[in-house]
Structures are given as C-alpha cells and as structure tokens.
C-alpha cells in the first residue's frame, strides 16, 4: 500500500511552501532576539529574519529582514541548521504554513546597539540580548530554538533538524 502524503493528514495546511532565513547572532554567551507581544501567543522571543521573496537569495532575504527588524545588515556566515516548520497561522479558521527555515551564523557591525529597525516584524516590540543559559526559561518561538541555539557551536550537530509542528492552542471555529 502506498504511503499517504502528509498533506492529506493536515487538512489545514496551505499549499505553498515558504523559505525563511534566520540570523543566529551570538556574542559573549548572549544571543540577539526579537521580543514580540500580542496575538494569541503573548510574549515570545524569536531570531531576526523572515520569508524569502521571489528572486532573492537566502542571504539577500536575511539581510533585508535584518535591516527591517534590527536596523542593520549583518555579516552572514555558515549555515547552522535547516528545519521544516509547520507554523500555525492566526487565521479563521486556523491554517498552517509549511516553512523551511535556514539558520545562519551571523555577526553584527562593530558598535551595534539593539533597537527596532524601520519596518519591525508584526507584534515586534523590541530587540534584546539574552543569555544562552536563560533560553530554557524563555518563551521562544518556534520552541525548538532553545536546543538549536544552545548547541550552535558544537561540532557534529546535525544540520537538518527534522520537522516541527506549532502546537499553539487553536480555537475551533
């Protein structure tokens, strides 16, 4: 018997797959995060970055997103992780977006001070440094980021993390 495609198991899944590039910026055991509030999720923290537009390379998308969200371009280094993420969207009825997330190790320009860029992400209220050791107690989004960031420099860590599903509470409509 042939395998059932995953799309049949997730009737709320949108048909398009989107790429997203994220900046993993770690300095002195601190990671740069975007602080978000509002919506169904409440306070949460995420890495800078976002969706790739048609015609953009992943690195172009990442630099554009960093300029918009944290007010600076970044020096993009090695690819750290790739993840399939099935993100629950704030729609009625609820839908999911399949994202392929690419996390790149990045560096900030000398003297950068955390601040919102000119076009912050939806619900973004700030840009902060957080201690890597504090991440386990913080509401990270997506939640797999804690382990990913904590082991960002470990040799031999798998680059493809697998598939993660957003299990935020969804209301029935």
């Amino acid at each position: 018997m042939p395998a059932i495609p995953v799309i049949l198991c997730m009737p709320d899944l949108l048909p398009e797959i989107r790429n997203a590039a994220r900046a993993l910026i770690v300095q002195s055991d601190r990671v740069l995060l975007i602080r978000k509030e509002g919506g169904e999720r409440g306070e949460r923290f995420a890495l800078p970055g976002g969706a790739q537009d048609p015609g953009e390379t992943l690195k172009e998308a990442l630099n554009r997103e960093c300029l918009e969200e944290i007010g600076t371009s970044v020096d993009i280094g090695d690819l750290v992780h790739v993840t399939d993420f099935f993100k629950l969207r704030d729609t009625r009825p609820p839908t999911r977006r399949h994202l392929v997330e690419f996390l790149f190790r990045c560096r900030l320009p000398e003297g950068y001070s955390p601040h919102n860029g000119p076009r912050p992400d939806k619900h973004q209220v700030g840009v902060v440094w957080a201690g890597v050791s504090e991440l386990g107690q913080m509401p990270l989004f997506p939640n797999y980021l804690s382990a990913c960031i904590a082991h960002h420099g470990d040799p031999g860590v798998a680059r493809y993390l697998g598939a993660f599903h957003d299990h935020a509470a969804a209301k029935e409509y």
Side-chain angles (χ1 to χ4, degrees), residues 74-110:
V74 293
D75 180 22
I76 301 171
D78 294 335
L79 176 67
V80 179
H81 296 290
V82 177
T83 306
D84 281 295
F85 178 50
F86 296 89
K87 180 182 179 184
L88 191 60
R89 297 180 69 232
D90 236 356
T91 57
R92 300 193 195 300
T95 56
R96 290 185 188 277
R97 163 87 62 205
H98 182 176
L99 296 170
V100 179
E101 296 204 333
F102 297 84
L103 277 63
F104 290 91
R105 191 173 288 118
C106 297
R107 287 192 314 266
L108 293 165
E110 200 64 38

Side-chain angles (χ1 to χ4, degrees), residues 22-34 46-49 62-63 66 70 72-77 80 103-109 112 127-130 132 135 149 152:
R22 307 265 175 223
L24 179 56
I25 303 166
V26 179
Q27 292 180 353
S28 305
D29 292 326
R30 299 178 308 160
V31 63
L32 191 75
L33 298 171
I34 292 174
L47 294 175
L62 184 53
N63 253 322
C66 285
I70 65 173
T72 188
S73 59
V74 293
D75 180 22
I76 301 171
V80 179
L103 277 63
F104 290 91
R105 191 173 288 118
C106 297
R107 287 192 314 266
L108 293 165
Y112 174 80
V127 179
V128 299
W129 285 110
V132 172
L135 297 177
I149 295 169
H152 74 278

Side-chain angles (χ1 to χ4, degrees), residues 5 19-20 33 35 38-39 54 59 63 69 80 84-86 89 96 99 103 121-122 125 136 138 141 145 147 163 171:
N19 289 338
L33 298 171
R35 183 172 164 258
K59 289 184 175 185
N63 253 322
E69 295 175 357
V80 179
D84 281 295
F85 178 50
F86 296 89
R89 297 180 69 232
R96 290 185 188 277
L99 296 170
L103 277 63
D121 198 21
K122 183 178 181 181
V125 295
M138 295 176 70
F141 184 78
L145 288 178
K171 295 180 181 177

